[in-house]
């Protein structure tokens, strides 16, 4: 099953309110300019993770996604559980979405 926008949003929310709020502030604090919306970022992250093959592996579970503001962008790191191996790993931090 591939990841979608809602999967990423839920994963960010599981990381804690501060991560979702960082993503919202990334969009709203630059007014009147407009960074991508939280929904746009979630959609793009789902596509990126699917492109890496993480969404196609039934043994992998997206545990949480951490968002950090690094103006003018955000840095996102995903924590993934490998059910088969019983281990967790983090994706390389990805910085973008200016």
């Amino acid at each position: 099953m591939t990841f979608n926008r809602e999967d990423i949003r839920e994963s960010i929310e599981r990381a804690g309110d501060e991560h979702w709020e960082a993503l919202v502030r990334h969009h709203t604090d630059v007014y009147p300019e407009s960074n991508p919306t939280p929904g746009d970022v979630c959609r793009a992250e789902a596509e990126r993770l699917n492109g890496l093959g993480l969404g196609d592996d039934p043994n992998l579970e997206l545990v949480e996604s951490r968002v950090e503001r690094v103006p003018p962008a955000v840095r996102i790191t995903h924590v993934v559980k490998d059910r088969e191996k019983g281990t967790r790993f983090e994706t390389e931090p990805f910085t973008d979405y200016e």
Side-chain angles (χ1 to χ4, degrees), residues 29-47:
D29 284 0
V30 296
Y31 183 82
E33 294 180 32
S34 183
N35 284 338
T37 67
D40 292 337
V41 172
C42 290
R43 184 177 305 106
E45 275 301 286
E47 291 173 8

Side-chain angles (χ1 to χ4, degrees), residues 24-97:
V24 170
R25 283 192 319 273
H26 174 66
H27 173 67
T28 59
D29 284 0
V30 296
Y31 183 82
E33 294 180 32
S34 183
N35 284 338
T37 67
D40 292 337
V41 172
C42 290
R43 184 177 305 106
E45 275 301 286
E47 291 173 8
R48 190 176 74 80
L49 293 181
N50 290 330
L52 293 172
L54 297 176
D56 295 328
D57 188 334
N59 293 315
L60 299 182
E61 173 187 347
L62 186 57
V63 177
E64 68 180 27
S65 301
R66 301 176 188 142
V67 178
E68 175 186 2
R69 291 184 75 191
V70 287
V74 289
R75 179 176 299 133
I76 301 176
T77 306
H78 302 279
V79 178
V80 180
K81 178 180 180 180
D82 186 324
R83 294 182 201 130
E84 187 176 71
K85 296 177 182 175
T87 59
R88 291 182 180 208
F89 63 91
E90 292 184 0
T91 61
E92 283 290 319
F94 180 76
T95 305
D96 198 359
Y97 308 115

